[in-house]
Amino acid sequence: RKEVEQDPGPFNVPEGATVAFNCTYSNSASQSFFWYRQDCRKEPKLLMSVYSSGNEDGRFTAQLNRASQYISLLIRDSKLSDSATYLCVVPYGGSQGNLIFGKGTKLSVKP
Amino acid sequence: EPEVTQTPSHQVTQMGQEVILRCVPISNHLYFYWYRQILGQKVEFLVSFYNNEISEKSEIFDDQFSVERPDGSNFTLKIRSTKLEDSAMYFCASQGAVGYTFGSGTRLTVV
């Protein structure tokens, strides 16, 4: 069974805080991983791709632990605009495979 | 920036009616997908389409559903004899070299 599991939250943090989300996946053959951001009633939008041990883009850092089948997303210096649901996504079946979504972790950044 | 366009943005239909959801993928993409998200739940894969045929479908995608690429630009999802539980956001996505791009979705409400 193809599963992607996330802590649903919500995570309520003050502006400027550092917050980390975790995700575990069941398909050990997966080679690429994604973090998407979804605002309320909007489409998922790609935040970061992870193909090796990790990736960093500004305030966002994603890390991958293949042995534990675990992916994390770290957000530093949180902004109000970071408030959203963060979706852990794992392709199934190779680079052209369909995407398996986690249920998402809701983040609320407060002033 | 190229985008995936979906119409209509909101569709209300009576139970038992047929609906067609429309998508215009990014023009040079080759892989197309439909996903759905029931309110409060995770995004779920429905079907993938490549080279004018279905390449994979989930167990959700039963005989009630069909997809078509009637011309060089449109990609449609038809839902026959709609049920209350078909109410959801339906997202079209296309995949190119840099990954998946989602449309803004069609909110289907079956009454």
Side-chain angles (χ1 to χ4, degrees):
Chain A
R1 185 174 175 84
K2 302 162 281 189
E3 295 285 353
V4 176
E5 300 289 341
Q6 295 182 251
D7 180 346
F11 284 61
N12 298 308
V13 303
E15 265 187 296
T18 295
V19 62
F21 307 136
N22 302 322
C23 170
T24 57
Y25 60 94
S26 61
N27 184 11
S28 58
S30 296
Q31 296 297 310
S32 56
F33 307 88
F34 305 101
W35 283 101
Y36 277 76
R37 170 197 170 121
Q38 186 175 31
D39 293 287
C40 188
R41 298 182 178 239
K42 300 288 188 183
E43 75 273 25
K45 291 189 176 178
L46 181 64
L47 180 64
M48 296 187 75
S49 304
V50 187
Y51 297 104
S52 56
S53 61
N55 192 10
E56 183 171 336
D57 182 4
R59 297 183 294 108
F60 299 87
T61 301
Q63 291 199 315
L64 169 64
N65 183 321
R66 289 186 189 277
S68 301
Q69 295 181 203
Y70 168 95
I71 315 156
S72 65
L73 177 68
L74 183 77
I75 305 176
R76 289 180 295 277
D77 188 23
S78 302
K79 312 290 184 191
L80 296 177
S81 56
D82 294 334
S83 297
T85 297
Y86 290 83
L87 309 176
C88 178
V89 182
V90 180
Y92 179 82
S95 59
Q96 277 77 46
N98 69 71
L99 302 178
I100 306 298
F101 284 77
K103 198 170 179 182
T105 299
K106 187 171 182 179
L107 171 66
S108 181
V109 182
K110 306 292 187 184
Chain B
E1 184 175 326
E3 58 181 30
V4 175
T5 305
Q6 288 188 244
T7 54
S9 57
H10 191 187
Q11 173 92 48
V12 180
T13 190
Q14 292 219 326
M15 193 167 53
Q17 296 297 305
E18 174 182 287
V19 294
I20 297 176
L21 310 184
R22 304 183 190 281
C23 170
V24 179
I26 294 173
S27 60
N28 61 348
H29 286 187
L30 299 178
Y31 295 86
F32 313 117
Y33 305 85
W34 283 101
Y35 289 80
R36 80 171 185 189
Q37 186 176 30
I38 295 171
L39 187 63
Q41 298 189 23
K42 63 183 178 182
V43 178
E44 300 174 289
F45 168 74
L46 291 178
V47 64
S48 58
F49 194 86
Y50 171 73
N51 201 25
N52 286 321
E53 61 182 24
I54 291 174
S55 52
E56 190 173 358
K57 58 184 180 180
S58 72
E59 57 193 25
I60 302 169
F61 194 89
D62 59 20
D63 292 343
Q64 185 192 4
F65 295 88
S66 61
V67 290
E68 196 176 36
R69 190 159 161 82
D71 53 41
S73 59
N74 290 286
F75 178 49
T76 61
L77 174 68
K78 182 187 290 186
I79 309 175
R80 288 179 283 274
S81 189
T82 49
K83 302 180 284 223
L84 294 177
E85 54 264 39
D86 294 328
S87 296
M89 281 290 286
Y90 288 82
F91 294 110
C92 174
S94 67
Q95 186 189 11
V98 293
Y100 301 79
T101 301
F102 284 84
S104 57
T106 293
R107 177 169 301 283
L108 176 65
T109 303
V110 183
V111 296

